[in-house]
Amino acid sequence: MKVIGITGGVGCGKSAILDGLSSRYRCFILKADDAAKELETKGHDCYDRLVELLGDDILDDEGNIINRNMSAKIFANPKLLQAVNDIVHPAVREYILARIEEQKIEGINDYFFLEAALLIECGYKAVVDEMWYIFADEEVRYQRLKDSRGYSDEKIKSIMSSQLTDNEYREASDFVVDNSNSLDEAMKMIEIRLSNGD
């Protein structure tokens, strides 16, 4: 089973690529954001530590973490943001490594696709066999984010400026998928890559 990291900037179409992969290949797909959300639910160590760090006012009436309340607290305070990352990132990494090991033992799937915007920054190059960068022209990304999420130009610009540059993504990746046009075109590039066994 080959472990492939899927990364790229906001609006590049990572989710569409993952949908395409799931319908065409025997694969297990894990999104790091989904892993983090699961680890922040009751019964997980992250939950207890986050509540202890941030206080009960991040919880709803049932005791579940309200993401927007947590975000409001941490993004206003860089020290809190770092403290939260120090709790969540190692736990997510441990979770991901455990899922990879489980899938290898099961031996059902040919590929394990791991998706996250921060794969490169968080050192996952050492975890995956290949790192794939999903690229899309900036204008295309802007339009997608406006159409699908209703983001303003200011919000899009702010998010993009906080992420790696195109050159940084390319330098850290083994393969670039151009997803500026149709999904079919992007999937054809992937099909050629995987059929070559590279």
Side-chain angles (χ1 to χ4, degrees):
M1 184 186 76
K2 183 174 266 191
V3 181
I4 297 173
I6 303 284
T7 194
V10 65
C12 69
K14 294 187 293 294
S15 294
I17 293 289
L18 291 175
D19 289 344
L21 290 167
S22 70
S23 65
R24 289 169 173 82
Y25 299 96
R26 287 192 312 177
C27 61
F28 185 91
I29 291 172
L30 178 59
K31 296 182 178 184
D33 282 352
D34 291 345
K37 281 175 194 159
E38 184 177 331
L39 293 169
E40 289 166 12
T41 58
K42 281 190 280 190
H44 291 279
D45 180 49
C46 275
Y47 171 90
D48 296 328
R49 293 175 67 195
L50 288 170
V51 174
E52 185 181 338
L53 174 70
L54 300 171
D56 292 342
D57 54 337
I58 64 165
L59 303 176
D60 64 16
D61 293 339
E62 276 90 50
N64 301 307
I65 291 176
I66 305 168
N67 281 329
R68 69 177 178 276
N69 289 15
M70 184 167 81
S71 296
K73 272 198 165 188
I74 63 179
F75 288 113
N77 184 331
K79 283 184 180 174
L80 268 186
L81 175 60
Q82 187 58 53
V84 167
N85 286 342
D86 288 345
I87 292 169
V88 176
H89 287 178
V92 168
R93 191 183 187 91
E94 197 175 302
Y95 179 95
I96 287 167
L97 292 173
R99 297 296 83 73
I100 290 172
E101 199 52 41
E102 283 172 8
Q103 288 300 308
K104 283 182 176 174
I105 291 166
E106 278 188 24
I108 296 168
N109 292 303
D110 298 319
Y111 304 101
F112 185 112
F113 293 105
L114 171 62
E115 182 273 323
L118 299 176
L119 282 186
I120 294 165
E121 298 92 316
C122 291
Y124 280 93
K125 191 114 168 77
V127 171
V128 300
D129 298 310
E130 285 189 6
M131 186 71 75
W132 290 5
Y133 165 41
I134 313 304
F135 165 81
D137 291 325
E138 200 167 287
E139 300 78 20
V140 172
R141 293 165 63 199
Y142 262 86
Q143 202 55 53
R144 284 177 183 164
L145 292 167
K146 284 181 176 183
D147 295 344
S148 65
R149 304 188 200 178
Y151 286 0
S152 66
D153 284 343
E154 293 73 24
K155 182 164 187 174
I156 296 169
K157 198 174 286 186
S158 169
I159 297 170
M160 285 186 178
S161 67
S162 72
Q163 297 184 324
L164 295 181
T165 64
D166 178 54
N167 280 343
E168 287 170 326
Y169 276 120
R170 286 176 186 273
E171 284 171 11
S173 299
D174 303 294
F175 179 53
V176 178
V177 181
D178 190 340
N179 193 31
S180 301
N181 301 305
S182 72
L183 180 62
D184 283 344
E185 286 178 59
M187 294 309 300
K188 190 70 184 168
M189 291 179 69
I190 289 170
E191 185 185 324
I192 292 165
R193 175 76 174 188
L194 295 179
S195 64
N196 288 340
D198 289 333

